[in-house]
Amino acid sequence: MNNEHEQQEHAAGSSKWICTANHSFIAYAQEELRRRFGQVKATVLIPDEVIVVTLPADVIEVQRQLQTDPLIFLRHIQPVALEVDYASLESSQAISALQGYLGTKSELKPGQTVAVQIRKGNVEATNLDLQELKASLDHTLTEAGVEVVTRGSDWIISVFMDKELLYVGLSTPSENLSDWSGGALRFQREEGQISRAKFKLLEAERAFGLDLADFKEGLDIGAAPGGWTSLLLERGLKVTAIDPAAMHPSLADHRRLTILKKNASEVKLGDSQFDLLVCDMSWSPMQMVRLVADLLYALRSGGTAIVTVKLMHKKPLQTIRDITEKFSEHLEVRRLKQLVHNRDEITLYMVKY
Ligand SMILES: C[S@@+](CC[C@H](N)C(=O)[O-])C[C@H]1O[C@@H](n2cnc3c(N)ncnc32)[C@H](O)[C@@H]1O
């Protein structure tokens, strides 16, 4: 192993990371990192989406902070423990540099499972074949008695290929903030699925550690055509769906569903009737907050609210601050996160005081 190509792990007081956000939101993730850690030295790897950063805190401290108080726009982060200048090496030399690195990792022992996630930046043809690299790493790991899996692994080896460098690191899925390469989680589209919006609520359930089946009665504000409503029904809830627009015909006669074909400002609901409120209205954020706040009498104390917020203006961080402040009058804001399935939105997870 050529030490010129290696970066020492846990270099005193600083660490290097590859950070990914939804397309066109990496600048906000970078700003969040700057506010959290102070100075951030960043280089773009994929415009608007992926950067490599040096943070003025060691690996353990960065991971601790991001786990205990996650950022909104940072979708995925992977540590950089090794940089291999593959452009100036024969492909076999680059591969053995990575194999050598794996050989030093005592975490990779028999009985452990590992996923190898390889991503590429805006790189044209190279001297290094990524399939060959993956096959070689899988082989090395298997030889060492480690089981190579795709998902649900104990460890992830992340490799990011930039124009000249391979950035390599070892971490756990939760340290990466996602089990998926680059955090790009995907759900399988189902037969008869009413809307893609359903994926948002599925992802929120997972991201916020909820089980929607734990709730009994849900209120869906801005429900049409019914993707979220259909998921709540599948999870066994009784649902009231509010929307002036039409719900999908497949939901028309569901015995646990009440459809109020009205503007949300015109409905009358029971006091503390619901233990779950969801809202996916894609509307002006402040108007949406007022509308939801006016219906909060129908959510019982301790009930959960999941709300998407459209980031309509040029200053999303300011919009988020305003909205959080407003909701905090009624709800404990537990988590704000831009989900993979949020386009120009974020999703809030809140609990009523
Ligand atoms: C993005 S769609 C919701 C998609 C839905 N979550 C799904 O899974 O199919 C937004 C909906 O909000 C509804 N909406 C907008 N303003 C509303 C209001 N004031 N009251 C009730 N619904 C409203 C729109 O009619 C639209 O159907």
Side-chain angles (χ1 to χ4, degrees):
M1 173 71 226
N2 184 342
N3 281 326
E4 269 173 24
H5 302 301
E6 244 183 285
Q7 181 199 303
Q8 285 303 305
E9 268 185 286
H10 304 213
S14 82
S15 51
K16 201 168 203 173
W17 306 85
I18 290 175
C19 301
T20 306
N22 284 5
H23 187 72
S24 84
F25 283 93
I26 192 67
Y28 301 110
Q30 187 176 333
E31 177 58 16
E32 287 188 290
L33 287 167
R34 191 191 64 73
R35 290 180 188 189
R36 178 70 58 87
F37 295 100
Q39 210 189 11
V40 175
K41 229 177 84 201
T43 307
V44 174
L45 296 180
I46 300 180
D48 300 325
E49 214 169 305
V50 184
I51 51 178
V52 56
V53 300
T54 302
L55 299 176
D58 66 21
V59 173
I60 305 283
E61 177 57 14
V62 171
Q63 280 168 343
R64 190 191 65 75
Q65 290 222 27
L66 296 179
Q67 300 275 314
T68 47
D69 190 7
L71 302 178
I72 301 168
F73 293 101
L74 184 65
R75 184 173 90 188
H76 183 271
I77 187 163
Q78 63 194 65
V80 177
L82 170 77
E83 291 172 52
V84 178
D85 181 359
Y86 73 90
S88 64
L89 295 173
E90 292 292 323
S91 123
S92 59
Q93 291 175 304
I95 290 173
S96 43
L98 264 73
Q99 288 168 323
Y101 167 73
L102 297 187
T104 67
K105 304 312 297 176
S106 55
E107 297 91 330
L108 300 175
K109 51 180 183 250
Q112 295 284 290
T113 57
V114 65
V116 179
Q117 298 183 347
I118 303 184
R119 285 195 290 161
K120 204 162 93 148
N122 289 340
V123 182
E124 309 274 305
T126 69
N127 54 343
L128 184 60
D129 179 342
L130 288 185
Q131 276 182 350
E132 186 191 337
L133 174 65
K134 167 97 173 77
S136 308
L137 296 185
D138 286 0
H139 180 72
T140 307
L141 291 160
T142 311
E143 289 274 285
V146 184
E147 189 188 350
V148 180
V149 297
T150 312
R151 196 139 293 112
S153 58
D154 300 313
W155 299 99
I156 296 177
I157 294 159
S158 308
V159 181
F160 190 101
M161 176 189 248
D162 191 30
K163 290 183 189 72
E164 286 165 4
L165 296 178
L166 293 177
Y167 296 100
V168 186
L170 177 71
S171 42
T172 65
S174 69
E175 286 164 354
N176 284 13
L177 311 176
S178 174
D179 210 3
W180 295 68
S181 183
L185 157 139
R186 291 277 169 265
F187 294 110
Q188 198 92 34
R189 213 186 154 91
E190 301 152 7
E191 185 86 14
Q193 186 172 318
I194 293 171
S195 71
R196 275 189 60 81
K198 180 178 181 178
F199 291 147
K200 254 191 274 186
L201 189 56
L202 267 173
E203 188 183 346
E205 181 182 37
R206 203 181 277 199
F208 303 141
L210 300 170
D211 181 353
L212 293 173
D214 289 341
F215 299 99
K216 293 199 164 49
E217 187 160 359
L219 174 65
D220 187 355
I221 308 171
W228 286 31
T229 288
S230 68
L231 178 60
L232 298 180
L233 291 169
E234 279 167 33
R235 294 282 195 270
L237 281 78
K238 200 173 154 195
V239 181
T240 299
I242 308 174
D243 203 307
M247 297 292 278
H248 192 270
S250 64
L251 295 169
D253 296 320
H254 199 290
R255 63 182 173 80
R256 277 185 280 110
L257 175 62
T258 306
I259 297 174
L260 303 177
K261 199 165 183 302
K262 287 182 174 174
N263 189 301
S265 60
E266 295 166 358
V267 297
K268 185 76 198 107
L269 305 160
D271 280 337
S272 303
Q273 182 182 345
F274 303 96
D275 58 353
L276 177 68
L277 178 155
V278 298
C279 174
D280 178 33
M281 234 161 38
S282 332
W283 210 28
S284 134
M286 274 332 227
Q287 296 195 51
M288 179 275 293
V289 174
R290 265 192 292 278
L291 218 144
V292 170
D294 286 348
L295 292 177
L296 280 176
Y297 67 87
L299 183 65
R300 72 163 170 75
S301 173
T304 291
I306 299 170
V307 175
T308 51
V309 177
K310 196 149 179 90
L311 303 169
M312 302 175 75
H313 306 296
K314 285 231 167 67
K315 291 187 175 161
L317 296 177
Q318 183 62 44
T319 304
I320 291 166
R321 207 171 17 246
D322 294 344
I323 291 219
T324 309
E325 208 175 289
K326 215 67 206 124
F327 271 135
S328 298
E329 291 170 17
H330 317 273
L331 300 154
E332 182 202 335
V333 180
R334 291 211 173 155
R335 193 70 205 275
L336 306 101
K337 181 169 170 60
Q338 184 168 55
L339 304 172
V340 176
H341 295 90
N342 283 141
R343 300 240 160 135
D344 47 354
E345 305 158 333
I346 61 162
T347 301
L348 272 60
Y349 161 42
M350 302 175 286
V351 172
K352 192 173 172 193
Y353 296 124

